Amino acid sequence: MMKIAIWGAGGFGKYIIKQLLPNDLVEIQCIIDNNAGSSQKVCGVDVVSPNIFLQKYGKDTDCVLVAFMEGLSISKQLEDMGIEKYGFISKRVFHYKMTLESDILQDCNILWNNDKELYMPRMETLETNVVDFCNMNCKGCSHFSNIFDKGDFVPYEVFERDIKQLSDKVFIQQFNLLGGEVFYSENLADYIKCLRKYMPKTAIELVTNGMLIPRQKEELLKVIQQERVTVSITEYPPVTKVKDKIMDKLDEYHIYYEFRPVVETFGKNIDLSGKNEPHVAQSKCRESTCQFLRAGKIYKCPFSALGNIFFKYYNIPLSFDEGADIYASDMNWKEYADNVRAAPIEQCRYCGTEERFSWEMSNNPQKEEWIIDYIKNN
């Protein structure tokens, strides 16, 4: 039996404690918390400070499991305490109320201190399209899905080559596969297996409108379940009508999922004047955390990655030359990973104050569905 301590006495820690107490393979020695008070207990387990842990339990504890949202922030503290084995539980375990593997050492949602990923440059999220077209065709789609041709897929060979390259350079904490509509992909299971092969400690999430889920084949659904992939469903008005069928299918295969709030409005913010102040635009941007992989480059956002497709489609005399080349020999991965979210780019000049409008589908889109007027908004 493995003797463990849980670091974190908050909601996340309590969730893990309640889950592990019945586990015959582990014994919880105590709970560690930097703000521990005297005689404090959670679920009958002592809550102690790091110093008391070392004095009272340290020698008899096989490992420490960290269970709070920013757990990686105490990496240095754990190292300085001389703890030989410790692991960080992915925050998605708490978010999706996931069950850890009985043998915690085999759980892909725990990053251990002997895993190489812990010592690599780290990005919180990265996303990419596996297919560019969609069945929803939202007016003002930020991925421009309704101007792509049906059948526009991202080649698997390109995807695999990029994932293999990234796996040697940076630890992606969560990788989102999307579109377009991700379930239009004919090889979605292969993309998932590729990610799990090269990025075993990365959380994988499918971002979808869910409409195609009820008709998916067992083979794919089993892969999603077995590879611990989560499904995030954007609930547009048409999705609500089939929500029960979507839930029934996912529940049947024990797949972890969430429904985001119903989408009632969309927004547009493309300003062709290029007169916006980048830092101001960055501070207002709803996609500043949506770093995007496309054909060997990482882009700050979907607009910087796909904007040229929009410009070409509507014969707009603009072109972006952005993105970090993941194959460049002089790429400073730590510097890039540390700054990509916070630092604006030149293309931010083309993002103005967002205008909201009622959500609707647009199968014959006009460029005005994305464009705002700089003069009107200033």
Side-chain angles (χ1 to χ4, degrees), residues 94-112:
F94 184 48
H95 178 80
Y96 281 99
K97 298 299 182 284
M98 301 177 81
T99 302
L100 294 175
E101 301 283 358
S102 296
D103 182 356
I104 59 174
L105 295 175
Q106 302 304 314
D107 199 305
C108 66
N109 285 313
I110 302 177
L111 181 67
W112 296 100

Side-chain angles (χ1 to χ4, degrees), residues 110-159:
I110 302 177
L111 181 67
W112 296 100
N113 63 305
N114 59 350
D115 289 327
K116 67 172 186 176
E117 289 87 350
L118 185 61
Y119 307 98
M120 299 172 71
R122 187 164 61 241
M123 290 180 64
E124 187 168 344
T125 59
L126 185 62
E127 62 184 40
T128 195
N129 285 2
V130 294
V131 56
D132 288 318
F133 64 98
C134 189
N135 55 345
M136 201 62 69
N137 289 335
C138 302
K139 177 181 177 181
C141 172
S142 63
H143 286 213
F144 311 108
S145 297
N146 42 357
I147 67 174
F148 280 95
D149 292 332
K150 298 293 183 184
D152 277 347
F153 296 93
V154 174
Y156 174 80
E157 313 81 63
V158 174
F159 177 84

Side-chain angles (χ1 to χ4, degrees), residues 35-254:
N35 300 310
S38 60
S39 303
Q40 185 180 353
K41 290 181 180 288
V42 170
C43 301
V45 181
D46 288 338
V47 180
V48 300
S49 69
N51 286 337
I52 297 299
F53 163 75
L54 289 176
Q55 295 170 21
K56 190 174 180 179
Y57 300 99
K59 293 181 180 179
D60 297 323
T61 301
D62 297 312
C63 76
V64 173
L65 277 182
V66 180
F68 61 92
M69 298 307 282
E70 301 303 326
L72 287 169
S73 65
I74 64 165
S75 298
K76 184 68 165 56
Q77 185 177 359
L78 287 159
E79 184 179 340
D80 290 345
M81 289 172 64
I83 298 173
E84 292 187 5
K85 190 167 186 63
Y86 50 89
F88 303 90
I89 305 174
S90 171
K91 59 186 177 183
R92 74 174 185 152
V93 170
F94 184 48
H95 178 80
Y96 281 99
K97 298 299 182 284
M98 301 177 81
T99 302
L100 294 175
E101 301 283 358
S102 296
D103 182 356
I104 59 174
L105 295 175
Q106 302 304 314
D107 199 305
C108 66
N109 285 313
I110 302 177
L111 181 67
W112 296 100
N113 63 305
N114 59 350
D115 289 327
K116 67 172 186 176
E117 289 87 350
L118 185 61
Y119 307 98
M120 299 172 71
R122 187 164 61 241
M123 290 180 64
E124 187 168 344
T125 59
L126 185 62
E127 62 184 40
T128 195
N129 285 2
V130 294
V131 56
D132 288 318
F133 64 98
C134 189
N135 55 345
M136 201 62 69
N137 289 335
C138 302
K139 177 181 177 181
C141 172
S142 63
H143 286 213
F144 311 108
S145 297
N146 42 357
I147 67 174
F148 280 95
D149 292 332
K150 298 293 183 184
D152 277 347
F153 296 93
V154 174
Y156 174 80
E157 313 81 63
V158 174
F159 177 84
E160 182 182 30
R161 184 170 65 247
D162 288 351
I163 296 304
K164 183 178 180 181
Q165 172 71 2
L166 286 171
S167 69
D168 290 331
K169 304 297 182 181
V170 62
F171 172 42
I172 311 297
Q173 291 180 249
Q174 177 169 312
F175 202 109
N176 298 333
L177 297 177
L178 35 72
E181 171 46 49
V182 68
F183 279 100
Y184 267 133
S185 173
E186 297 175 351
N187 302 302
L188 184 54
D190 292 332
Y191 289 93
I192 292 170
K193 291 176 183 178
C194 175
L195 273 171
R196 185 57 70 223
K197 174 183 176 181
Y198 292 109
M199 299 182 176
K201 293 295 181 175
T202 292
I204 305 171
E205 182 152 289
L206 304 180
V207 181
T208 173
N209 60 50
M211 295 288 286
L212 301 178
I213 288 176
R215 71 188 201 197
Q216 294 306 305
K217 295 180 179 179
E218 181 176 72
E219 179 184 1
L220 172 59
L221 295 169
K222 283 187 173 180
V223 168
I224 293 172
Q225 188 274 329
Q226 291 166 0
E227 300 298 348
R228 311 274 277 176
V229 176
T230 55
V231 180
S232 181
I233 302 162
T234 307
E235 188 173 346
Y236 300 102
V239 176
T240 304
K241 298 177 183 179
V242 295
K243 186 173 182 177
D244 288 345
K245 292 182 179 179
I246 296 170
M247 294 171 65
D248 287 345
K249 180 62 72 171
L250 295 173
D251 288 339
E252 179 184 352
Y253 287 90
H254 307 289

